[in-house]
Amino acid sequence: MAESKKIAVIGGGIAGMEAAGNLVNLGFEVYLIERTNRLGGNVANWYCLFPDFKPSSKVVEQLKPAIQNKVQFRFGAEVCKTEKKGNKHLLHLNDGEVLECDAVVVASGFSLFDAHRKEEYGYGIYDNVITSADLEKQLAENHTVMTTQHKAPRKIAFIHCVGSRDHKVGNAYCSKVCCVTGVKQAIEVAKMHPEAEIYSFYMDLRMYDRQFEDLYMEAQTQHNVRFIRGRLSECFENADKTILLKAEDTLSGKPFRLSVDMVVLLVGMQADQSLKHISDMFALKTSDDRFLSVADVHTSSIYSGVEGVYLAGACTGPKSIHETLNSARAAALSTAIYLNQN
Amino acid sequence: MKNWGYSIHKDNQIDLDRNDTSVYKALILVEPSIARCISCGSCCATCSSGEYTSLSFRKIMIQISRGETKDLYSNLSQCMLCGKCILVCPRDVNTRNAITKLLQILTTKN
């Protein structure tokens, strides 16, 4: 048998893990390049997942057996430079190693919107304004949520679309999974603090996928979560460290104010800063939203348009976990077909 | 009264820290289906009375949940209890029962 072909997968989040696992299964030799020292990416930072409250760590664990001892890991590694040698891609890593590959799968993922940039919401200024990621971290560590003054919150507000659908911060697109994340987190908090009043400030609620609408209904009927249609304009900190919210209650057509013990900002997804470098190196195109462009949004959403470079997961825009994993499998299959034909 | 050339506007703001939402809380206990309302407005679109009066079930649900009960009773009294709103509601809110229960709550309250 001829020497098996080599593929570099860039990114060790769930997209990279799933693509790598599938490619190994198809008989290829795979390098998995991950800039941190652990697998799972953003998903490893989460507590439980919508719509079924499955612990996110379980998803990461489920993806490991397909790659452990089968993939050549390069942890703490980043691609600095690439060269073309015939059909092959030469990837220069930051430690000087050069990987010679027949194909590349970009699975570099996303980063969360930096909530400091919405200064009017007071993140990093007021104690009790946190992000959805901070809440997941608190839940993962303590299995409960408390204010910074270590009190059980009696009133909590979730703010949708922070860093999404917002031209002011340069993110005009919808991050699509934060709506249901907000509803999921509202239910989690309601279960931990049944006496608490929970508010949700939204522009639209985009419950686009299976069971999302059920979660929304559960939040309304089982936990009495109050949905207020209106985008938060600003936050102020009261003397007792509670947060005063000002918004327009658009369904009443009136300005609205409310004090809460805790504010959770549902931060959106954005293209990771490293994506610019990756797109430059491989001559990939990006769209106005700074995510990578695809060859065809309908029929070829995992192909970059550059020969031998395939795209998996959220590097091509916000995705839920099952969408990410499906795109990773599709990218792996397309890579395999390409390599078998060349 | 002397006209000083200026007037004081009444606060138009909904202040949920001060407003009394007890009517909403009482109603949700006797008609829990109101929690399902998503303010789609189909009840108002089909409402025969709403074509001629200020009756709007959608607005009433929003107002009571914010503790805004001004003109509530007179608005509710415009309802003819025909029940068309129940037929069109996509979230299965028992709108007519909510109105009758709401009238009862307001009558007992005053």
Side-chain angles (χ1 to χ4, degrees), chain A residues 154-159 197-201 226 228 232 234-238 242-247 255-263, chain B residues 13-19 21 65-66:
Chain A
R154 291 155 304 153
K155 286 184 183 178
I156 304 145
F158 287 86
I159 314 299
E197 284 178 25
I198 300 174
Y199 295 86
S200 173
F201 289 82
R226 310 273 281 276
I228 316 263
L232 181 67
E234 52 202 327
C235 290
F236 304 93
E237 193 178 60
N238 294 318
T242 58
I243 306 290
L244 173 64
L245 305 175
K246 292 186 86 174
F256 180 94
R257 58 189 280 157
L258 166 72
S259 297
V260 295
D261 299 319
M262 190 173 225
V263 174
Chain B
Q13 204 167 217
I14 298 174
D15 185 348
L16 220 59
D17 293 344
R18 293 194 187 145
N19 282 10
T21 56
S65 69
R66 314 289 195 255

Side-chain angles (χ1 to χ4, degrees), chain A residues 155 197 199 213 216-217 220-221 224 226 228 246 249 251-252 254-259, chain B residues 12-17 21 24-25 28 35-39 58 62 65-66 68 91:
Chain A
K155 286 184 183 178
E197 284 178 25
Y199 295 86
E213 195 67 23
Y216 174 29
M217 183 74 98
Q220 282 183 304
T221 58
N224 201 21
R226 310 273 281 276
I228 316 263
K246 292 186 86 174
D249 179 9
L251 293 173
S252 295
K254 283 182 174 186
F256 180 94
R257 58 189 280 157
L258 166 72
S259 297
Chain B
N12 184 39
Q13 204 167 217
I14 298 174
D15 185 348
L16 220 59
D17 293 344
T21 56
Y24 182 80
K25 284 173 181 156
I28 205 164
R36 307 157 73 101
C37 179
I38 53 171
S39 297
R58 175 187 70 79
I62 291 289
S65 69
R66 314 289 195 255
E68 306 256 300
R91 301 278 278 190

Side-chain angles (χ1 to χ4, degrees), chain A residues 12-257:
Chain A
I14 57 162
M17 293 171 79
E18 182 68 11
N22 279 270
L23 287 165
V24 164
N25 245 324
L26 292 166
F28 298 101
E29 204 174 307
V30 178
Y31 299 106
L32 187 62
I33 303 163
E34 166 56 38
R35 67 180 169 188
T36 70
N37 291 311
R38 63 158 182 58
L39 293 167
N42 283 295
V43 173
N45 298 333
W46 232 238
Y47 174 58
C48 287
L49 303 170
F50 61 78
D52 61 351
F53 301 93
K54 175 175 178 158
S56 52
S57 56
K58 281 198 178 165
V59 169
V60 178
E61 287 310 312
Q62 273 175 277
L63 298 179
K64 279 183 182 169
I67 52 174
Q68 265 166 352
N69 308 319
K70 296 170 186 166
V71 164
Q72 301 192 46
F73 293 102
R74 296 290 185 275
F75 284 110
E78 281 180 78
V79 184
C80 302
K81 200 172 80 174
T82 62
E83 282 178 75
K84 278 286 275 195
K85 191 171 117 187
N87 275 342
K88 288 184 190 295
H89 294 269
L90 303 186
L91 274 57
H92 296 255
L93 303 187
N94 51 341
D95 64 356
E97 189 183 6
V98 181
L99 304 176
E100 193 174 303
C101 303
D102 300 283
V104 175
V105 176
V106 178
S108 55
F110 68 93
S111 57
L112 288 168
F113 174 74
D114 177 9
H116 290 96
R117 292 181 57 208
K118 292 293 287 178
E119 204 178 344
E120 61 271 39
Y121 292 175
Y123 182 66
I125 303 171
Y126 306 140
D127 288 351
N128 287 310
V129 178
I130 65 170
T131 66
S132 43
D134 297 333
L135 180 64
E136 294 289 336
K137 192 165 174 250
Q138 265 205 46
L139 292 173
E141 284 170 5
N142 312 321
H143 300 282
T144 187
V145 56
M146 292 290 169
T147 68
T148 318
Q149 289 70 40
H150 307 291
K151 285 184 191 145
R154 291 155 304 153
K155 286 184 183 178
I156 304 145
F158 287 86
I159 314 299
H160 288 252
C161 299
V162 178
S164 301
R165 300 178 75 197
D166 187 347
H167 285 261
K168 281 277 169 62
V169 299
N171 295 349
Y173 55 87
C174 167
S175 292
K176 98 180 188 182
V177 294
C178 351
C179 274
V180 65
T181 298
V183 169
K184 181 216 71 150
Q185 292 187 338
I187 293 173
E188 284 171 325
V189 172
K191 284 180 180 166
M192 288 161 191
H193 302 288
E195 72 296 339
E197 284 178 25
I198 300 174
Y199 295 86
S200 173
F201 289 82
Y202 69 97
M203 298 202 289
D204 291 305
L205 286 170
R206 298 185 163 181
M207 299 295 155
Y208 67 95
D209 215 341
R210 264 181 106 180
Q211 297 170 38
F212 291 6
E213 195 67 23
D214 300 336
L215 269 194
Y216 174 29
M217 183 74 98
E218 183 186 335
Q220 282 183 304
T221 58
Q222 312 295 311
H223 307 292
N224 201 21
V225 177
R226 310 273 281 276
F227 291 88
I228 316 263
R229 183 169 168 272
R231 194 178 172 96
L232 181 67
S233 67
E234 52 202 327
C235 290
F236 304 93
E237 193 178 60
N238 294 318
D240 62 356
K241 299 283 178 190
T242 58
I243 306 290
L244 173 64
L245 305 175
K246 292 186 86 174
E248 164 84 357
D249 179 9
T250 61
L251 293 173
S252 295
K254 283 182 174 186
F256 180 94
R257 58 189 280 157

